[in-house]
Amino acid sequence: MRTIVLCFFLTSQVCSGHKFPPWFKFGAATSSYQIEGAWNVSDKTQHIWDTYCHSSGNKCSNVNADEGANSYYQWRDDIQAAADLGLDYYRFSISWTRILPTGFPNKISDDGVRYYNDLINGLLEKGIEPVVTIYHWELPQSLQDLGGWTNELIRTWFADYARVLFSLFADRVKIWLTINEPLIMCAAAYSEHTAMAPGVRDPNYGAFLCAKNTIMAHAHAWRIYDELYKPKYHGKVSLASQIFWMEGINDEVQQLTELAFKLNVMYIYPIFSKRGGWPVEIEEIFVELSKKEGYSSSRLPPFTDEEREFVKGTYDYFGLNYYTSRLVRPTFDGEKTYWPFRGSPDLGAALVPDASWRVSDNVPWLYEYPKGLRHIMEWIKKEFGDIEIIITEVGYGDSGKEPDHKRIRYHKEHLEQVHLAIQEGIRVTGYIAWSLIDTFEWEAGYTVKFGLYKVDYNDPSKKRKLRASGLYYADVIKSRDFDIKHKYISDEL
Ligand SMILES: *[C@@H]1O[C@H](CO)[C@@H](O)[C@H](O)[C@H]1NC(C)=O
């Protein structure tokens, strides 16, 4: 009913049936380490994932992305795959050590520059707009050896790297993401029970140094673009924030739910909130907790006034990565939870899926709750204002059973929520599916498939093969309608 009333006031174009407006963009994404391979070619040096997966005792010790989908050599296949879907956007990332072998701008690799120029130019020739992630988790090992994301100097190292990329590619790349998922990157890298590079187990302290430095580094890069490149090229820069939507298990836990959610999204506040800095409630909890634990200052490093001003407002749109949601319930007596970091304060909140949500056959955390995507966008608008939102990742991972009806259902139901959000007047302008082709899924290796295209890793030619979900997505893009009747959409779903 509400939809009909709202449609009355909006353009008929937006509201006719299930059609997406003409300005809405569809895309798909990958990242460098997850597909490129060619880990030791030319003057590229090792990054933390090379090191991590080549060392023993890690989840990826017996499997790595040395070769992967071989996109360093087969980038033309990726462009063709994107073109065959009819994509408006292809989101990919640049490998720091492929461009800057020392980690620093004292040496720029000709081969690295050539590779990304070929990719960018090839996409543009097909009418596909590149959406470029500057950092998708592959820190040069040389910088990790100097402390990596826990060393404040990384703010300058990252800014220098970003400046090089802007100088090389900003004439053709108009949409940038500085950093992919700071929350996961810092939590997973420093937590003691996850399995991500660099594998430094320092959840109490390191994770939060990483948190602040990541945000400062982002702000530096944004300001460089804003000052030197935006006046000329009119592009936009943001970062990709991964958000779990959260709802209370009942009305009595509203306050607890809001607090748990705020802890989960605390990264976003320094950049997007009017006040800047960490959310006040979260900052206070950390101050108290750190005192109790015997630290001399808060484990969550505060922003100085100057830093707060420096970071505040360093965005041109909101990059949202969404996969799943959780319900919040109070913990039982004696039950301990740590979220989102192992070293996070125990709020007394447990995160659980709703019993009605479907779970992927092969990704234990991936419960389907499409409405969560819309609720996050509503929350962004309410909390930070009428910001343009680009969904920079959304996707469904499974064991690779064909045809992939469930991935079709997942995208269909999430597209429906995006369509509803547009009707509600939310400024969401793009939907970028994760992933274009199958990728090396970090600690899950090659066992989890997200691709609209299957990659046959056993075949030396690493052929990209369109999945049913890719066929569905291509039809959505062509018709601009998510509710198409497709022969691959099974009634049993
Ligand atoms: C690169 O690594 C591969 C293993 O992934 C190895 O077989 C090859 O010899 C290495 N090449 C060089 C130049 O080190």
Side-chain angles (χ1 to χ4, degrees), residues 268-293:
I268 292 162
Y269 281 79
I271 299 163
F272 290 90
S273 72
K274 304 250 170 337
R275 175 186 170 272
W278 304 118
V280 182
E281 314 87 298
I282 301 298
E283 201 154 34
E284 282 170 2
I285 288 170
F286 270 96
V287 168
E288 281 307 305
L289 178 65
S290 307
K291 204 185 290 171
K292 218 169 81 192
E293 291 168 337

Side-chain angles (χ1 to χ4, degrees), residues 7-24 419 422-423 479-480:
C7 278
F8 190 74
F9 296 102
L10 291 165
T11 68
S12 59
Q13 214 160 20
V14 174
C15 287
S16 58
H18 304 117
K19 293 240 185 218
F20 281 88
W23 42 260
F24 192 83
H419 189 264
I422 294 171
Q423 288 175 307
S479 63
R480 312 198 64 77

Side-chain angles (χ1 to χ4, degrees), residues 11-12 56 63 76 120 145 185-186 240 244 252 261 329 341 486:
T11 68
S12 59
S56 55
V63 53
R76 288 181 190 83
I120 290 165
D145 293 342
M185 161 186 147
C186 292
F244 281 67
E252 278 118 73
F261 186 66
R329 66 155 169 78
F341 297 93
H486 195 285

Side-chain angles (χ1 to χ4, degrees), residues 28 30 47 69 80 86 98 130 132-133 154 175 214 297 304 309 335 345 355 362 393 399 435 444 448 462:
T30 59
H47 53 63
Q80 195 56 51
R98 217 182 271 296
V132 172
T133 313
I154 194 143
I175 307 179
T214 303
S297 59
T304 65
E309 289 306 313
E335 186 186 15
N362 201 29
E393 274 182 37
S399 58
S435 47
V448 171
K462 314 273 188 216

Side-chain angles (χ1 to χ4, degrees), residues 39-42 54 64 66-67:
W39 75 282
N40 57 358
V41 305
S42 184
H54 289 159
N64 57 52
D66 287 359
E67 232 185 290

Side-chain angles (χ1 to χ4, degrees), residues 430-480:
Y431 181 98
I432 301 179
W434 183 270
S435 47
L436 175 65
I437 60 174
D438 284 340
T439 74
F440 174 78
E441 283 293 330
W442 312 110
E443 77 280 9
Y446 298 105
T447 60
V448 171
K449 319 286 185 185
F450 277 89
L452 298 168
Y453 285 82
K454 171 185 172 158
V455 175
D456 189 348
Y457 291 104
N458 297 321
D459 176 354
S461 76
K462 314 273 188 216
K463 216 168 142 26
R464 283 82 166 121
K465 192 169 157 282
L466 189 65
R467 285 206 171 98
S469 58
L471 217 50
Y472 163 77
Y473 198 47
D475 279 352
V476 168
I477 296 171
K478 207 179 301 156
S479 63
R480 312 198 64 77

Side-chain angles (χ1 to χ4, degrees), residues 34 80 111 115 140 201 269 304 310 396 405 463 493:
Q34 292 179 275
Q80 195 56 51
D111 283 344
Y115 171 66
R201 308 280 182 256
Y269 281 79
T304 65
F310 184 78
Y396 186 77
H405 290 147
K463 216 168 142 26
L493 293 180

